[in-house]
Every structure is written in structure tokens, then in C-alpha cells.
Amino acid sequence: MGTREAGRRHAVPRPPWWAFPLTGFGALLTVLSIATLGYSAVLLHSVDAALEDKPLLPDQEAPDPGDEITGPLNILLVGADLRVDRHNRALADTIIVLHIDRDLDTATLVSIPRDLRVDIPDCGPDAGGAGCLDKINASYSLVGPKVEDSMANLATTLTDLTGVTFDGAAVVNFEGFLSTVEMFGGIELCLSQDLYTEHGDGFYPAGCNEYDPSDALSIVRERKNWPDGDYGRQRMQQHFLRQLLKRAEQEGYLSDPTKVVALIDAMAGQIVYDLQGRDVVDFAVALRHIDPDTMQTLKLPSTTQNIDGVSYVVIQPGSTDDVLSQSLFAAIRDDTLAAWVAANPGYVNADPARR
């Protein structure tokens, strides 16, 4: 792991649209773009308080913090509860691989089903540190409660599965989700069908409607009542990320300095990240040319299967899913995702707001 040296502070030449598409962390990187307006000292102080830098990735050769950021890049994004449960375990609900192309102007989100059945290298103290075959989110929870251990084990599990190594990682607490939506006064979500949920009001009609934080969270976390289970939840999570950015822009949270600082302060303590020693501002500058309208959101080729009474998502060896998933992993490694998407359009998740 590289030394955590403070990077150089740069003025951002023009506002980038985004940053990492997980709730508050994306907004935090985005708002750094207004540093040229003379508010850099206040903003950077707020960012330092809100962002917590920890070594989330397994030991690997890290770049020199002063080196120029070049593509392609692969970032591991996790939506989690940073608290622990009664078993002293951390819990993760969302796993996304963010691929940024060689030119740093195209981003692709690949959702990893939390129930994906995989080989996990370390299944925690109850297994004596040995490996096991389990759902991929178990690689995060079984080795907790420290977020560093959980993320490193998840990253290693994903690398073993895909051959992809990660250039950065971020974890956003579910509480960050709630506080961000609350500051926006709600968020519009579009449902492709009527949806029953286990929490919130329990029923949400098809179409586009405004939701408060608790109902939005109920919709985004629901998986059992989509016809295709967790795949439906993955689509809704990706849709939420787009809508969150859209609302932030509409409400002035990407341009009004007062709102920017308030948003950053609200996210304090909700975000943990690892950019391998590189500076947050440098990342924001490097990724400023990405256009959100070109961002692809992909489904992993896989199927659901009941094994010994437990529902899993599986990639059956030798199956069409196996062939396609292996080609997808290769496209991430080789930075040829555009060609893969063109050849496999059925695995692109359409945003319901654009239908």
C-alpha cells in the first residue's frame, strides 16, 4: 500500500459532472470543481472532514501520488452499513465495478449481484481463515467489523473471479443515502411496474413519482418483489444514481457554494475511500470530461438458482453465461467494453426515466 501523502491542490478548470456514482462521494468530488470561484479553502476543509481515507484495497503496488492519473481505471464501489450488527459483522448491500476508459471520458457501471456464488479466499475466524463457497457479499461481512478488512477481502474475491485489479475504492454508508435525499427535499424515481416492498409504505405505483428518503431507500433496497429478483434492484440502484445527480444539479448543489458546503457537512462520517495515495482533487480534475449521458450500466451474465434451499445467483461453468461473463471480465481488463456492449446490447440496463 502506498504512503498516504497529501497531494497537490489544483484549481479545476471547469465543473466536472460527477465523480464516483455512490451517493455523497460523487457529490463531494463534483463540488470541488467550483474551487476556481474562490471558495477552495472552505471547501477543502469541509472535504477533509467528510472524507475518511483508509487502506481499503489489498496490498499491491501503488502509483506515485505525484504521477499523472491515466486510464483505464477500475474502481470498486460499495454501498454498506458502516455500523456492525449483533454478530460484530459489517454489512454490504451494493457492489459495483466502475470502469473508466483509457481516455478518461467514458464510464461504465457493472453491478455485481450480492447473491453471486463465488469462491471466497477468507471466510473469517469461524472458518479459521480458510476459504469457502458462498455469496459474494459474505466476503465483506465474514471478516468484519473493520471496513479495511471487509473491503480488502471483497476486492480479492472479485479479482480472483474477474482478473480485474482495482485502482481505487469507496464505501458509502446507507445513512449517507438518507441525508443526501433529505437535503434535496426528496428524489424522483421511475418504476417500470407496480412494486411491493418489505419496508416503507409497502406499495409504490408504476411511473415517475417524488419520494422522501425512507420510501426512496425502501424502493432502492427492494429485491424480492421484482420479477427478476436482485437484477431488478440493480437496475433501480443504477437509476437512483442518475436521478441523484440530476436532482443535485437542479437544486444548485453543484454550483451554489453555500449549498455545496452544507451538502459536504451533511455527509461527514458517511464516506470511506482509498485512491491509492492520490489526491481527491487530482481525481476530480482527471475525470472532468466524462459525460453522464454516455454512461452505460450493465448486468452481469448470470442466472438465479436454488441450492440446498438457498437462493443464489450463479455463473454455471461452460454455460452461455460463463462465456459471456468471461468475455465481459476480459473487456474490463483490456478496456474494450464499448465493443462488448455493442455485441451484447441485451445486458445494458435501460434507465426507466428515459423510456
Side-chain angles (χ1 to χ4, degrees):
M1 187 65 61
T3 303
R4 304 290 180 174
E5 299 178 10
R8 299 184 304 277
R9 301 295 190 188
H10 296 287
V12 183
R14 72 175 182 82
W17 65 271
W18 79 308
F20 300 120
L22 265 186
T23 342
F25 197 44
L28 289 170
L29 280 187
T30 302
V31 300
L32 291 174
S33 64
I34 69 169
T36 54
L37 299 179
Y39 300 95
S40 58
V42 175
L43 288 176
L44 293 173
H45 174 77
S46 297
V47 167
D48 287 340
L51 294 174
E52 187 173 6
D53 184 0
K54 289 187 175 182
L56 302 179
L57 295 172
D59 289 338
Q60 58 192 38
E61 185 177 353
D64 187 317
D67 287 350
E68 180 183 2
I69 296 173
T70 59
L73 299 170
N74 293 302
I75 313 295
L76 174 58
L77 305 174
V78 173
D81 191 336
L82 293 176
R83 302 166 299 182
V84 296
D85 67 6
R86 61 189 177 87
H87 300 294
N88 207 35
R89 297 178 305 183
L91 303 175
D93 226 21
T94 303
I95 303 170
I96 293 174
V97 175
L98 166 65
H99 178 81
I100 301 165
D101 73 338
R102 189 175 307 278
D103 295 328
L104 301 181
D105 61 8
T106 302
T108 305
L109 299 174
V110 182
S111 287
I112 306 298
R114 53 170 281 175
D115 293 342
L116 183 65
R117 197 166 190 245
V118 296
D119 288 310
I120 300 173
D122 182 354
C123 290
D126 290 346
C132 64
L133 188 62
D134 206 336
K135 296 180 179 182
I136 194 166
N137 67 338
S139 66
Y140 186 94
S141 63
L142 290 176
V143 298
K146 293 178 63 176
V147 66
E148 302 98 310
D149 296 335
S150 296
M151 282 292 286
N153 199 42
L154 173 57
T156 299
T157 301
L158 274 170
T159 297
D160 289 349
L161 174 70
T162 66
V164 175
T165 56
F166 296 99
D167 304 287
V171 185
V172 175
N173 193 9
F174 288 133
E175 293 300 322
F177 171 98
L178 292 171
S179 62
T180 303
V181 176
E182 184 175 0
M183 288 201 69
F184 294 165
I187 189 170
E188 183 183 62
L189 296 177
C190 301
L191 303 180
S192 58
Q193 62 176 68
D194 291 346
L195 180 67
Y196 291 89
T197 67
E198 296 181 283
H199 307 287
D201 283 347
F203 171 77
Y204 302 97
C208 298
N209 293 286
E210 188 79 7
Y211 294 102
D212 65 20
S214 61
D215 286 328
L217 183 61
S218 297
I219 292 170
V220 172
R221 296 183 73 174
E222 180 60 37
R223 66 191 179 100
K224 292 183 179 179
N225 290 314
W226 289 105
D228 52 354
D230 197 55
Y231 298 114
R233 182 176 64 168
Q234 292 167 36
R235 288 193 301 274
M236 185 52 59
Q237 289 170 343
Q238 293 169 339
H239 169 61
F240 164 76
L241 300 177
R242 292 180 187 272
Q243 295 297 93
L244 188 71
L245 177 64
K246 179 180 177 181
R247 178 58 59 90
E249 185 175 16
Q250 290 172 341
E251 298 292 329
Y253 282 94
L254 305 187
S255 57
D256 184 324
T258 302
K259 288 188 173 184
V260 165
V261 173
L263 177 59
I264 294 174
D265 289 343
M267 292 304 303
Q270 307 296 344
I271 300 159
V272 182
Y273 77 101
D274 179 356
L275 297 181
Q276 295 286 276
R278 291 171 292 200
D279 190 80
V280 172
V281 179
D282 291 338
F283 247 76
V285 173
L287 306 181
R288 68 189 183 277
H289 296 299
I290 292 177
D291 181 353
D293 289 332
T294 66
M295 184 172 63
Q296 299 279 7
T297 56
L298 305 183
K299 168 187 173 181
L300 180 69
S302 53
T303 55
T304 57
Q305 184 176 341
N306 190 288
I307 301 175
D308 296 329
V310 179
S311 177
Y312 292 95
V313 172
V314 300
I315 301 174
Q316 206 66 256
S319 65
T320 300
D321 286 339
D322 188 24
V323 173
L324 286 174
S325 63
Q326 292 303 321
S327 66
L328 172 59
F329 301 152
I332 296 173
R333 296 193 304 268
D334 301 339
D335 191 32
T336 56
L337 270 176
W340 191 92
V341 168
N344 301 281
Y347 291 93
V348 177
N349 285 328
D351 187 344
R354 297 182 177 181
R355 292 180 177 178

